[in-house]
Amino acid sequence: MSAVKHVLDIDTLDAATLRGILDDAHDLKARWKAGDRPKLCTDLVLATIFEKPSTRTRISYDLAMRQLGGETINLSPGDMQLGRGESIGDTAGVLSRYVDAIMIRTIDHQKMLDLAHYGTVPIINGLTDRTHPSQLMADVMTVEEHLGPIQGKSVAWAGDGNNMACSWIHAAVRFDFELKVACPPKYHPPRHVMEWAEEHQGKVKIVETVEQAVEAVDCVVTDTWKSMSDERAESEPIDMAALEPYRIDAEKMALANPDAIFMHCMPIYRGNEVSAQVADGPQSVVFDEAENRLHAQKAILKWCLT
Ligand code: CP
Ligand code: NVA
């Protein structure tokens, strides 16, 4: 029997597999626009579990499955016995007998790993406290649409060293591009993620200032300063003053390459991590990113299920 094809993280998949999924995402989008709509998942069912709110992930996975001819069952822990203490192991075992794959958004990365351990169908990471690989596939796709192959390009990350930052670090290694990360010292990405990048000869470096990060890059990326699955935010208030210098504004964008793009996974908090002028300006590709979630998620489902 072949191994179950999970999409737990960018660092748990090899470069060739990720490149294949991305090529499929580009292809499925082009075919969709041309009216060629292959029903690759007819009669298959995806369960989606959301422990936290979602607009893009919820809609893109649901629509992706429908557009491929399959169906989705949307669940939240409160709807299931999971919310009353049924174990993740039993939940995984039961769902595996009903559905063909499970996508989970959880505040506890370990819960997703436990689902994969106990379940027998593909598990897809729809955001955890540590990473957001589904978003990253759409993000890399968006860079390539605007700037060509991502290999050899340069990207700046500014702000909080959060789950998105970690997935960008993973992506830099697997897709072979340069990533400069600028975060306040107290919000650096976890050390083990940087060590992983180093062990894998990633072109990832932490720089001191946001100006150093954005200088002459092809793409500038940021994200909210207050993630919904951020345990730190529960125990202590976010240090907005420390993050203030990391806001992407027109002055900082002007330091990037003239044709550089601005990216953000959304939701955007204008005036915090990015000025409205940049978020809504000509270099911003945030709605392309959101649209590409749909096609990237289709390519992930195709890989897992067919
Ligand atoms: N970018 C993203 O994952 O958006 P949602 O939280 O709306 O799913
Ligand atoms: N870092 C953000 C991403 C939202 C899509 C969060 O975890 O809330």
Side-chain angles (χ1 to χ4, degrees):
M1 208 169 72
S2 59
V4 180
K5 289 154 100 182
H6 299 299
V7 177
L8 300 178
D9 261 319
I10 304 267
D11 66 336
T12 61
L13 296 172
D14 62 47
T17 299
L18 291 162
R19 186 68 248 174
I21 295 173
L22 199 61
D23 288 346
D24 265 340
H26 285 300
D27 181 55
L28 284 165
K29 181 173 181 180
R31 287 171 71 181
W32 179 261
K33 300 269 179 195
D36 175 12
R37 298 169 179 197
K39 302 289 184 210
L40 301 168
C41 293
T42 302
D43 292 336
L44 299 179
V45 178
L46 172 74
T48 60
I49 303 175
F50 285 94
E51 286 189 330
K52 282 280 169 184
S54 168
T55 300
R56 285 143 288 266
T57 306
R58 184 188 302 278
I59 297 171
S60 60
Y61 269 109
D62 192 351
L63 267 186
M65 202 58 194
R66 291 188 210 197
Q67 291 181 359
L68 292 173
E71 289 182 49
T72 311
I73 299 178
N74 278 297
L75 302 164
S76 66
D79 301 329
M80 291 189 287
Q81 298 291 2
L82 185 62
R84 293 182 61 246
E86 186 167 21
S87 73
I88 196 86
D90 288 349
T91 305
V94 171
L95 286 181
S96 295
R97 301 294 178 100
Y98 291 142
V99 302
D100 300 286
I102 303 167
M103 189 236 75
I104 182 163
R105 166 167 289 194
T106 174
I107 50 171
D108 179 3
H109 194 83
Q110 187 58 44
K111 228 181 252 186
M112 176 195 68
L113 299 179
D114 289 347
L115 262 189
H117 178 75
Y118 292 110
T120 56
V121 296
I123 305 300
I124 300 169
N125 178 345
L127 181 146
T128 75
D129 51 331
R130 289 199 220 153
T131 55
H132 197 3
S134 294
Q135 177 73 50
L136 249 292
M137 295 306 283
D139 289 357
V140 175
M141 181 182 176
T142 307
V143 172
E144 295 203 330
E145 275 182 352
H146 284 271
L147 304 174
I150 197 163
Q151 186 174 26
K153 295 280 185 301
S154 54
V155 176
W157 174 273
D160 186 16
N162 63 11
N163 46 4
M164 279 296 300
C166 291
S167 284
W168 270 101
I169 293 167
H170 290 157
V173 172
R174 290 294 192 241
F175 290 102
D176 192 21
F177 59 87
E178 185 193 353
L179 180 67
K180 293 186 277 177
V181 178
C183 308
K186 66 199 291 187
Y187 296 134
H188 273 188
R191 189 188 293 271
H192 70 90
V193 179
M194 290 303 295
E195 284 170 357
W196 177 85
E198 211 170 301
E199 278 161 26
H200 291 80
Q201 288 79 48
K203 300 182 195 94
V204 182
K205 64 173 178 229
I206 295 195
V207 295
E208 264 179 44
T209 65
V210 68
E211 286 78 9
Q212 286 171 302
V214 299
E215 193 191 348
V217 290
D218 300 304
C219 173
V220 176
V221 195
T222 189
D223 184 20
T224 178
W225 290 343
K226 189 179 189 315
S227 284
M228 55 190 161
S229 48
D230 192 340
E231 275 178 30
R232 295 166 308 176
E234 307 299 325
S235 53
E236 52 179 297
I238 298 286
D239 187 347
M240 300 299 257
L243 285 155
E244 195 84 5
Y246 295 82
R247 176 176 307 117
I248 300 301
D249 56 18
E251 267 178 32
K252 296 194 188 90
M253 269 317 280
L255 299 173
N257 283 338
D259 58 354
I261 53 175
F262 169 76
M263 298 183 69
H264 190 307
C265 66
M266 304 175 97
I268 296 170
Y269 299 91
R270 289 168 177 79
N272 279 351
E273 71 272 12
V274 61
S275 69
Q277 194 186 357
V278 170
D280 304 317
Q283 289 168 286
S284 173
V285 297
V286 297
F287 292 105
D288 294 336
E289 263 182 283
E291 178 185 348
N292 284 338
R293 291 295 302 275
L294 177 58
H295 304 288
Q297 270 47 141
K298 271 193 244 180
I300 286 175
L301 291 166
K302 179 184 170 197
W303 182 75
C304 290
L305 289 169
T306 65

